[in-house]
Structure formats: C-alpha cells, structure tokens
Amino acid sequence: MKTIRQTAKQCMKDEADAILGLQSQLDENFDKAVDLMFHCRGKIIVTGVGKSGHIGAKIAATLSSTGTPSFFVNPLDVFHGDLGVMTHDDVVIAISNSGQTDELLRFIPMVLHMNIPIIAMTGNEGSLLVKYSTVHLNTKVEKEACPLNLAPTSSTTAQLVMGDALAVALMEMRHFEPKDFAQFHPGGELGKRLLTTAQDVMRSDDLPVIPKEMHLGDAIIHVSKGKLGLGVSLEDGRVIGLITDGDIRRAMEKWQAQFFDKTVEDIMTSHPKCVLPSTKITEIQKIMQANKIHSVLVVDDEQHLLGVVDHYSCMF
C-alpha cells in the first residue's frame, strides 16, 4: 500500500507527464488559434461546464491581465440573457475534455448563428464540439492522476497549461512589456513599482544644500542634519556638485590634518546621477545598482534641484 506522500508524488508525476505530452500535440491549429485571438476585434469569450468551467474562468482572467480582453461565460447562463454580451467581432474558446458536454453543445448553435469563430479545447478529436469548431486544440491525456482514473485532474491541468500557452504566445506577439502588465495590476506591489515615479516618492523639503566654498568641517554638520547622507551644491538653482558622507570619510583619511582646510568643491562629484520627476522607480533602482550609489537627485530639464530619492524611498 502506498504512503500518503507516495500517492502525492505519483499524482504530481502523472500531471507532469500529461503536461509534457501536450508538446507533441501542438500543431498548426495552435498557430491558427493564436492568430484568431490576436486579430480579434472584440473579446475572447471563454466557456465551459463544471471543472472545465473553473479552468476557463482562470484562462479568461490570465488573458485579460496580459493584454487580451476576455471574460468567462457559463453556457447555462446564456439561456437566461447572457447571450447579449456576445458580438460578431468576438472569438469563443469552448472547453470540454470529452467534447460531448450537453450544456455546452446546446450553446454552440447560438455561436454558429452569429458566425463567431470557435476554438475548441478538448481531449476528443472525434467529438461534436470539434466537428463544429473552427480550430481544435488537443488536450488529450493518457490518464487522470486520480487513482480511479475518473476525477478531472491531469485533464484539467492540461487545459490550464494550454490556456497559459495561448496567453504567453499572445504576449510575445503583442510585445507585452512590464509597464503594460502594471496597467492591468495597479494595486499590487509589482504595479506600484512599475508605475511609481521619482516625483511620487522624492524628498523635496529641507534639502541639504551647501555652497561649494563651504569648508568640510561645516559641511559635515549640514550633511548630518540633512539625514540623507549627502549634500548638494547649487549655482543659480542648478546642480553643480554632490558630496556624500562616504566622500567626507575618504577625504579625512586622505588629508588628515589638512582636512578642515578643504572645501566642498575639492571633493564633490561635479556630475552626479540625476533623474527627471517622471522617471520610474524601477529605472532609478537600476541606476543605483549599476553605479553602486544610494541616492539620485531629481531635477527638471534645466538641472534645477527638485528633490532627492534614496534607497529607502524605493522600498514598498
């Protein structure tokens, strides 16, 4: 008798084998399905009953969040008014492992009457659903992971993976980028990182501005009070230099007794890293990492100082 853990491992193996088996079943129909979806001028309507319906809802959600307008429709609800959401510009993805699901088949004539293309996702190439579909995606599995070979397990996993494959292929065709993803996920951490700009997080009050003629002994005090670990030198409001607490420590080690005779101009970086207010936080993080710095200055087009963004400002 198998242990509980052995049973779980066998289930995972069976489902993994089912997924790998899908690769050999991909053919020109997959290309046609992606082409239909890519050129769809309306919406992708995903439908299915029971477990296939649950998978369909997830596929619709994934498509919508990756740039392909889509939603799930329960075929049972179509008979009670939901048919009104469909238009001639739509594409339907109908999911059924057997391809013979009665509730789904009763929905198909309505779709055909509207001349809407149907992408069937089934494990039965000889089914009625395939017969009346425009394209068939074969999700046949050798067996279910269920020990009785009855409960939808491997078959629904195969459907889910096929749906993900469609979504990913469409992302490639649309040249979908992180900024696009953020537009569909504005509430999550990723969305915040991709949409937040320097202006949103920069410190703009009580900035540690110090003249270039200031002696380093006085500059230490200003840098410390600023609590940003830096001081900025301006000329006519424009940034001309930057010193950090690291610059000050290195200057002390280099000049020792002569340190207090030196000025900000002697150690400042005359071309510090600056960004515009519209620069995304993700880009600022790349700049900091590439240059091994902890802060950047925010300036306008004429290099007037507007604020400072430090490492901690970028952490959500």
Side-chain angles (χ1 to χ4, degrees), residues 147-180:
L148 302 177
N149 196 29
L150 294 174
T153 45
S154 297
S155 58
T156 48
T157 300
Q159 293 167 355
L160 182 62
V161 171
M162 186 64 78
D164 286 342
L166 290 171
V168 171
L170 286 164
M171 289 175 70
E172 286 288 335
M173 292 185 70
R174 299 186 195 284
H175 304 292
F176 201 75
E177 298 179 354
K179 62 181 178 63
D180 302 310

Side-chain angles (χ1 to χ4, degrees), residues 5 53 60 62 66 90 101 123 136 138 165 197 250 252 285 302 313:
R5 198 174 301 172
T62 299
T66 52
D90 297 337
T101 307
H136 176 227
N138 188 359
T197 65
R250 287 186 288 272
M252 293 179 72
Q285 289 176 318
E302 297 181 349
S313 303

Side-chain angles (χ1 to χ4, degrees), residues 78-91:
V78 170
F79 301 102
H80 301 282
D82 281 8
L83 187 63
V85 304
M86 296 174 58
T87 71
H88 295 284
D89 293 326
D90 297 337
V91 170

Side-chain angles (χ1 to χ4, degrees), residues 235-297:
E235 194 169 86
D236 297 327
R238 296 181 174 86
V239 174
I240 60 170
L242 170 76
I243 65 169
T244 66
D245 49 10
D247 294 330
I248 293 173
R249 288 195 301 272
R250 287 186 288 272
M252 293 179 72
E253 293 175 2
K254 178 179 179 180
W255 286 308
Q256 297 184 12
Q258 289 78 38
F259 170 79
F260 291 97
D261 297 325
K262 301 296 181 180
T263 66
V264 168
E265 188 173 16
D266 293 324
I267 68 168
M268 72 182 186
T269 300
S270 56
H271 297 287
K273 296 298 178 183
C274 298
V275 300
L276 295 172
S278 58
T279 305
K280 299 292 192 297
I281 289 300
T282 48
E283 184 61 31
I284 292 175
Q285 289 176 318
K286 291 178 183 177
I287 293 172
M288 290 182 182
Q289 185 175 9
N291 294 277
K292 297 181 180 180
I293 56 178
H294 299 287
S295 303
V296 296
L297 305 181

Side-chain angles (χ1 to χ4, degrees), residues 150-217:
L150 294 174
T153 45
S154 297
S155 58
T156 48
T157 300
Q159 293 167 355
L160 182 62
V161 171
M162 186 64 78
D164 286 342
L166 290 171
V168 171
L170 286 164
M171 289 175 70
E172 286 288 335
M173 292 185 70
R174 299 186 195 284
H175 304 292
F176 201 75
E177 298 179 354
K179 62 181 178 63
D180 302 310
F181 189 86
Q183 292 178 354
F184 297 102
H185 300 77
E189 181 178 344
L190 177 61
K192 289 180 181 178
R193 288 184 180 278
L194 293 171
L195 296 177
T196 303
T197 65
Q199 187 171 18
D200 296 324
V201 300
M202 70 182 186
R203 172 174 158 183
S204 56
D205 298 326
D206 299 322
L207 297 176
V209 176
I210 53 178
K212 64 180 182 179
E213 301 85 6
M214 179 179 285
H215 286 90
L216 293 181

